[in-house]
Amino acid sequence: MSIAIYLAKRLVFVVPQLLGIVLVSFLLVKSIPGDPAVLMLGPTATPSAIASLRQQLGLDQPLHVQFMIYIGNLLHGDLGTSWQTTRPVLEDLIQRFPATLELVTYSLVLAILIGVTLGVYAARNPSGWVARVTDFYGIGAGALPDFWFALVLIFIFYTVLGWAPAPLGRIDMIVLPPNPVTGALTIDALLAGDIEAFRSACAHLVLPVLTLGLLYAGPILKMTQSTMEQMLEADFSRYEVLCGIPQNLVVRHALRNAFPSIVTIISVLYGFLIGGAVLVEIVFSWGGAGQYAVQGVLNSDIYPVLGFVLFSAVFSLVIYVLVDLVYVLLDPRATN
Amino acid sequence: MRGTLAAMNDPAVIGQGEASRTAPPLIEVRDLHITFPAGGDEPKEVLKGIDLSVSSGEIVGLVGESGAGKTTLARSILGMPPAPGRISAGEVFFEGRQILELSEPELRRLRGRRLSVVVPNPRAELNPLLTIGHQISSMAKIHLHVGNQEARKMALQMLHDVQIPDPERRMKAYPHELSGGMAQRVVIAMALICSPAFIISDDATSGLDVTVQAQVLALLARLAADNGSAMLFITRDVGITAHFCNRIAVLYSGEIMELAARDDMFLKPAHPYTLMLLAAFSHSPRLREAWSVPETGERQEPREGCRYANRCPLAQPVCRAQAPSFNEIEPGHFARCHFPVRPA
């Protein structure tokens, strides 16, 4: 019951938060130089055609009126139209957001597996060779640019070894994509019982997931290692050892105490990667939401950008609410 | 409870402790040295050759000021000196086995089972995410290999024994929901649930109010006595030891300065440091005056000679030149002093 009240309170704050995010991003996007009308009509357009298009798009109105129009449309579920794809932004995003989400989610799962496992191991044996390797790994993973690492992986596994499929999208061109249900190809393929499509989608996921997973395991590893070291040295862990509690159990209890910090860094990464994976998306021609938004920025196509910001913001807010719920479930002290 | 305490004040009971020293002691610390690395300097020796034994059923008090090495000794007996301390020499025998040579799994089976510890400030020592019922019963599950139901029943009985009100409800409480006194009782329950042969109480009641402190101590002493457990009772408060210790050791700067049966310690203290400790707790202003040493600023211990010489009102030149040995000045009464005080 207290959780329901807590959730309701949180959701009340979501509305002003979203409004603020939309306002700021609207102003930022509007301040990018470049006139969409000029870009849309091309170099041969007459000034009168441009003027009439500007009027049609509402670009001749003052900024606050434009904003109010945008908000009004939002309330009707209209996120505007992209002049590049000439389709409603909502449709475009519903198609592309799951592609990014699928990539980022699998990457994060890999990153968690690597980061938490190595982090716990290194914290348990702080003078062992694994701890030294993880120190090096943490620095290396933070220093490598992801698009460069992606290119290296493509070079090794596609160009030289030929194990990976060509980095051109999410599925082989000759394979028919499954009927979209969730938008995540692996899940849709399984739902459709299409093994061939599933294998193709997985094969295309391997290199981008490796890229993001290996690199973003770095911060998770560092956070796990340092928090676990702290927890294993904490009074309650020492007391457990003095009480003859087996070491595995002591480590498990320490991990539970370290969990809030680890969950926090994971949630921050999750929200970040939705947009932060864009360079990797471009390298693999992923066709995800990040790529879509960057195209929008480059071409003064503001509605895709705003739509993307809105989607990411909602996604991040949902993640943060979930994280808060996890805290409450994990830590009896957090209920107040 | 009062009956038990009275019985322990009975000289006959103390006499038993004396007599049982002819049998092999339950735990025996021999010439234990613990050193801490000190940067580039010479490593600092925190315990400088401790010899101490406790017989079955005996309660030995260990008194000393902060930094004397009390906790280091307690933890070393459990085979885990505080980091980065290192056992540089010495042996600890428990039930005939040398603890410091046991493997980690062997030590683990001993800790909490035969050899348990009551820690101070237990609210920080208990796992914040587990209910106290879980923490107490897991001691029984791990060490006595009993099932869930049985362990729960034992934990509930233990909470009852340590006189926590409404134990059924407290089983589900988390450490942050307990008062300091209650948490102290929980830790005592955890220390006693497996009926250990030896209990180390490491300054266990230092964080509590004086009235609660007295209750918890009486409880601890009674439960240990009911259980037949021997105890090393570590404290900063020499007055507390008067209530239920059979013998008392006074620790100063990593050395035992005086060791005597309780009555000898209080009636015929021989070491000037012991006298100073007793005077500090005394009601007589004259005594306190006579035995308090003005702060000289010269806190450094002499490299040669007696560790206490610089603070000692009776110090002579020889005290700073030559370390006194641990002499038996009367049967069972030892003092590390060139000029032990004789009763007037």
Side-chain angles (χ1 to χ4, degrees):
Chain A
M1 190 57 216
S2 61
I3 288 180
I5 293 170
Y6 169 78
L7 261 186
K9 272 189 202 161
R10 278 299 301 258
L11 289 178
V12 167
F13 282 103
V14 164
V15 176
Q17 274 173 324
L18 281 181
L19 208 63
I21 290 167
V22 171
L23 175 63
V24 170
S25 45
F26 188 86
L27 291 177
L28 284 176
V29 170
K30 277 290 176 188
S31 68
I32 299 174
D35 189 338
V38 175
L39 284 164
M40 283 165 85
L41 293 175
T44 57
T46 61
S48 66
I50 291 175
S52 78
L53 184 62
R54 283 178 62 87
Q55 194 184 2
Q56 196 191 324
L57 293 173
L59 294 174
D60 54 341
Q61 304 281 342
L63 209 53
H64 67 273
V65 177
Q66 290 186 41
F67 182 69
M68 292 318 289
I69 293 171
Y70 180 69
I71 293 291
N73 289 340
L74 267 191
L75 293 178
H76 295 98
D78 177 8
L79 273 65
T81 306
S82 160
W83 67 260
Q84 292 180 93
T85 62
T86 65
R87 279 155 38 101
V89 168
L90 186 63
E91 270 179 37
D92 276 346
L93 278 175
I94 284 177
Q95 194 191 341
R96 285 156 208 256
F97 206 74
T100 298
L101 207 55
E102 185 181 30
L103 170 65
V104 168
T105 306
Y106 285 127
S107 305
L108 209 55
V109 169
L110 178 68
I112 292 168
L113 285 178
I114 297 172
V116 173
T117 314
L118 284 183
V120 169
Y121 196 89
R124 275 184 73 162
N125 311 285
S127 50
W129 64 270
V130 174
R132 252 170 280 162
V133 170
T134 56
D135 277 350
F136 190 73
Y137 182 71
I139 297 168
L144 291 183
D146 49 8
F147 67 90
W148 177 82
F149 190 58
L151 290 173
V152 170
L153 288 184
I154 290 171
F155 177 72
I156 296 174
F157 291 103
Y158 170 66
T159 314
V160 177
L161 296 173
W163 293 351
L168 297 170
R170 304 162 66 196
I171 195 160
D172 278 327
M173 266 175 250
I174 51 163
V175 177
L176 208 61
N179 188 33
V181 181
T182 62
L185 283 182
T186 47
I187 296 172
D188 287 348
L190 283 183
L191 287 178
D194 187 345
I195 297 302
E196 198 195 352
F198 179 71
R199 282 182 51 182
S200 179
C202 285
H204 280 82
L205 272 168
V206 169
L207 288 191
V209 164
L210 268 182
T211 306
L212 292 172
L214 285 175
L215 289 188
Y216 289 98
I220 298 178
L221 189 159
K222 278 280 145 206
M223 179 61 90
T224 307
Q225 187 184 0
S226 67
T227 321
M228 272 301 280
E229 270 170 11
Q230 212 179 323
M231 290 303 161
L232 284 172
E233 277 167 20
D235 287 346
F236 62 84
S237 293
R238 196 190 55 206
Y239 178 60
E240 284 184 343
V241 174
L242 288 177
C243 283
I245 307 283
Q247 218 217 337
N248 280 335
L249 200 57
V250 175
V251 171
R252 235 163 56 209
H253 288 164
L255 184 59
R256 246 193 92 177
N257 277 281
F259 230 76
S261 314
I262 301 173
V263 169
T264 303
I265 188 90
I266 290 171
S267 67
V268 170
L269 275 180
Y270 208 5
F272 163 76
L273 277 178
I274 292 297
V278 61
L279 290 176
V280 173
E281 281 190 17
I282 290 171
V283 169
F284 288 94
S285 314
W286 201 249
Q291 216 176 334
Y292 180 62
V294 168
Q295 288 297 326
V297 173
L298 294 178
N299 294 300
S300 291
D301 196 2
I302 67 160
Y303 295 116
V305 180
L306 288 175
F308 172 77
V309 169
L310 201 61
F311 261 60
S312 317
V314 170
F315 179 76
S316 293
L317 290 174
V318 168
I319 294 287
Y320 290 157
V321 170
L322 283 180
V323 166
D324 282 349
L325 271 184
V326 169
Y327 289 164
V328 172
L329 293 179
L330 282 180
D331 192 338
R333 289 166 297 184
T335 29
N336 304 321
Chain B
M1 189 196 326
R2 191 174 297 155
T4 325
L5 266 183
M8 281 199 292
N9 287 336
D10 187 339
V13 177
I14 294 167
Q16 274 172 16
E18 296 279 312
S20 62
R21 266 195 291 143
T22 49
L26 178 71
I27 192 149
E28 191 175 5
V29 180
R30 283 191 203 153
D31 194 31
L32 185 67
H33 293 256
I34 305 285
T35 47
F36 278 65
D41 301 339
E42 202 179 314
K44 185 167 164 49
E45 205 168 34
V46 175
L47 293 184
K48 306 172 180 97
I50 299 291
D51 290 286
L52 189 66
S53 64
V54 183
S55 307
S56 297
E58 193 186 24
I59 299 182
V60 173
L62 183 71
V63 187
E65 56 192 41
S66 302
K70 304 186 298 290
T71 296
T72 305
L73 177 59
R75 294 267 302 274
S76 304
I77 291 176
L78 290 156
M80 195 170 127
R86 208 171 54 79
I87 298 160
S88 42
E91 296 164 309
V92 177
F93 286 94
F94 177 69
E95 294 180 326
R97 290 201 284 175
Q98 219 279 58
I99 284 185
L100 306 182
E101 283 173 359
L102 293 181
S103 68
E104 198 56 40
E106 285 173 311
L107 264 177
R108 191 188 70 63
R109 280 192 288 274
L110 221 53
R111 290 178 186 145
R113 171 71 192 89
R114 302 290 299 156
L115 189 63
S116 65
V117 62
V118 181
V119 292
N121 187 22
R123 269 198 294 186
E125 307 271 348
L126 293 167
N127 190 323
L129 302 186
L130 301 175
T131 62
I132 60 163
H134 182 107
Q135 297 190 52
I136 300 174
S137 56
S138 63
M139 293 293 286
K141 273 192 278 188
I142 286 163
H143 290 297
L144 307 177
H145 311 289
V146 298
N148 276 333
Q149 285 302 314
E150 179 64 17
R152 212 192 103 83
K153 232 166 55 191
M154 290 174 71
L156 200 58
Q157 181 60 44
M158 236 19 256
L159 282 184
H160 191 76
D161 289 350
V162 295
Q163 298 170 348
I164 283 188
D166 200 357
E168 192 76 52
R169 194 164 62 91
R170 295 292 172 205
M171 287 283 281
K172 297 192 206 82
Y174 288 93
H176 73 279
E177 297 167 334
L178 303 179
S179 68
M182 246 192 282
Q184 196 66 65
R185 287 165 197 264
V186 169
V187 170
I188 291 174
M190 284 176 73
L192 284 160
I193 191 166
C194 298
S195 301
F198 186 58
I199 301 166
I200 299 173
S201 160
D202 181 9
D203 216 354
T205 55
S206 54
L208 302 180
D209 291 341
V210 178
T211 47
V212 183
Q213 194 175 359
Q215 292 167 9
V216 171
L217 285 175
L219 180 79
L220 177 60
R222 182 175 62 83
L223 290 173
D226 290 353
N227 194 33
S229 308
M231 184 150 70
L232 179 64
F233 186 84
I234 297 174
T235 179
R236 277 175 284 183
D237 182 348
V238 68
I240 289 179
T241 59
H243 294 297
F244 49 80
C245 292
N246 304 111
R247 286 189 297 141
I248 296 165
V250 175
L251 191 68
Y252 180 80
S253 183
E255 280 180 323
I256 292 183
M257 289 296 178
E258 185 163 6
L259 173 69
R262 181 193 58 184
D263 288 2
D264 287 346
M265 186 66 83
F266 282 94
L267 300 176
K268 297 182 280 181
H271 198 285
Y273 179 59
T274 312
L275 273 138
M276 197 173 97
L277 272 182
L278 292 173
F281 286 94
S282 147
H283 295 292
S284 151
R286 209 166 52 85
L287 197 58
R288 277 211 300 272
E289 187 83 9
W291 283 98
S292 60
V293 182
E295 200 67 42
T296 55
E298 192 187 2
R299 293 288 299 191
Q300 198 141 21
E301 289 165 13
R303 289 184 67 84
E304 314 275 316
C306 178
R307 305 274 166 204
Y308 184 59
N310 284 344
R311 286 175 71 190
C312 183
L314 304 182
Q316 304 288 323
V318 63
C319 296
R320 293 193 175 83
Q322 191 189 346
S325 54
F326 202 44
N327 300 315
E328 188 160 18
I329 54 173
E330 269 181 60
H333 191 160
F334 298 81
R336 191 183 300 277
C337 185
H338 289 300
F339 307 102
V341 181
R342 301 289 175 187

